[in-house]
Amino acid sequence: TSERKSGSRALLTACAAGLAAAGYSFLPSQCGKLNHRLKKRTKSNTEKVLYLTFDDGPHPIYTAKLLDILAAYEIKATFFVVGRSAEENPELIRRMITEGHTVGLHSYEHRSAMVQTPSYTRRDFEKSIRALKDLGVEPVLYRPPWGHVNWITLRMIRKFGLTKVLWDVMVQDWTADSSEILLQYKLLKRARACSIICLHDGRGRRGAPLRMLEALEKTIPVWLEEGYRFRKLQDGKNRITLL
């Protein structure tokens, strides 16, 4: 009947749309995460080095406190900053550069690539690249929000000569129930030689970044006692130390 044919066409259309959406972002995102894990497994990571990375900033209060902590321990880290926040806090970007940290890109508005149109993805990259260059940063590293990419993301990464960086350790430090003790427990339990640790200094529920800072300040001395050293993910303009 005509109603049955119409229903079949609607189902086929929905299936086609779902496959297109999966091919556009979901599959590239999942393949990228799987590839990262496989690469780490095939390397002999025995050197006691940790890579501290921080997303979503800069924040006028939390990032300033974080920089104080890193300076106290003479630790160099990698900051994946949001372009809009960088424009609003230029003095913090300048401080990161002056104190020897690496500044990478984390989009302009922190929206998932899964819900971005191709034109929005292009504009976001162009605006964020321009924002950082205006602040004296030539970005080399890129971390996609939530690790999500789409086909245009991958094209823009190649266009601007960026290296995509994911993570090995995530401790859900943005959540409302991310207590200092729980965060410290997760960090010590999950970190291994050559782990890329992803923390968040720019946003979170109920002051979550402050609890992250408290946990980090207590965890760093333990890591140092265990013989760990800290590196940033980029030395010089183009030399990537990412393992």
Side-chain angles (χ1 to χ4, degrees):
T1 65
S2 60
E3 289 184 358
R4 185 175 298 175
K5 289 181 179 179
S6 177
S8 297
R9 284 196 297 270
L11 179 60
L12 289 173
T13 300
C15 289
L19 289 172
Y24 176 66
S25 181
F26 180 77
L27 290 178
S29 298
Q30 295 305 113
C31 287
K33 292 178 180 181
L34 177 61
N35 185 52
H36 173 78
R37 289 195 293 269
L38 291 175
K39 280 185 177 179
K40 296 291 285 193
R41 286 178 184 174
T42 57
K43 291 182 179 292
S44 177
N45 295 327
T46 57
E47 190 177 8
K48 298 197 76 171
V49 171
L50 297 175
Y51 298 89
L52 289 177
T53 70
F54 300 93
D55 290 7
D56 299 356
H59 185 280
I61 297 175
Y62 304 131
T63 304
K65 290 180 179 293
L66 171 58
L67 287 168
D68 290 342
I69 293 171
L70 296 175
Y73 289 99
E74 299 183 345
I75 291 172
K76 307 305 179 187
T78 305
F79 289 84
F80 290 99
V81 302
V82 176
R84 186 184 294 279
S85 298
E87 289 177 334
E88 294 171 352
N89 299 278
E91 71 287 350
L92 289 173
I93 300 298
R94 286 192 286 268
R95 183 178 171 187
M96 291 174 190
I97 297 170
T98 300
E99 296 184 2
H101 303 291
T102 292
V103 180
L105 187 61
H106 195 47
S107 81
Y108 187 79
E109 294 183 309
H110 202 277
R111 296 183 182 178
S112 170
M114 288 192 177
V115 296
Q116 293 177 8
T117 64
S119 60
Y120 176 90
T121 302
R122 292 189 187 94
R123 287 196 306 272
D124 187 85
F125 264 92
E126 290 165 356
K127 289 174 70 176
S128 54
I129 291 283
R130 184 165 58 250
L132 291 190
K133 285 189 174 182
D134 287 346
L135 294 170
V137 178
E138 292 287 341
V140 174
L141 305 178
Y142 172 68
R143 173 172 285 163
W146 296 285
H148 297 165
V149 298
N150 58 45
W151 284 112
I152 306 303
T153 306
L154 300 178
R155 189 177 299 175
M156 299 303 281
I157 288 172
R158 290 193 296 271
K159 176 181 177 179
F160 289 106
L162 301 169
T163 296
K164 185 180 72 171
V165 179
L166 295 179
W167 56 84
D168 306 311
V169 176
M170 187 85 79
V171 295
Q172 296 73 45
D173 56 315
W174 62 87
T175 62
D177 59 349
S178 57
S179 71
E180 169 198 332
I181 294 175
L182 179 60
L183 291 178
Q184 185 178 17
Y185 171 78
K186 288 181 178 179
L187 286 169
L188 292 173
K189 182 177 178 62
R190 297 177 184 179
R192 297 287 186 272
C194 296
S195 287
I196 301 172
I197 300 169
C198 178
L199 297 168
H200 299 77
D201 62 313
R203 66 183 70 195
R205 297 182 179 180
R206 300 180 186 174
L210 186 58
R211 295 189 291 278
M212 179 277 290
L213 293 173
E214 292 170 349
L216 185 65
E217 196 164 16
K218 293 184 177 180
T219 307
I220 287 174
V222 179
W223 278 328
L224 291 173
E225 288 179 5
E226 292 176 348
Y228 283 104
R229 294 174 294 111
F230 298 88
R231 288 182 190 162
K232 54 186 181 177
L233 293 174
Q234 176 196 355
D235 275 330
K237 185 175 180 181
N238 293 310
R239 179 168 161 251
I240 308 299
T241 62
L242 175 64
L243 298 179

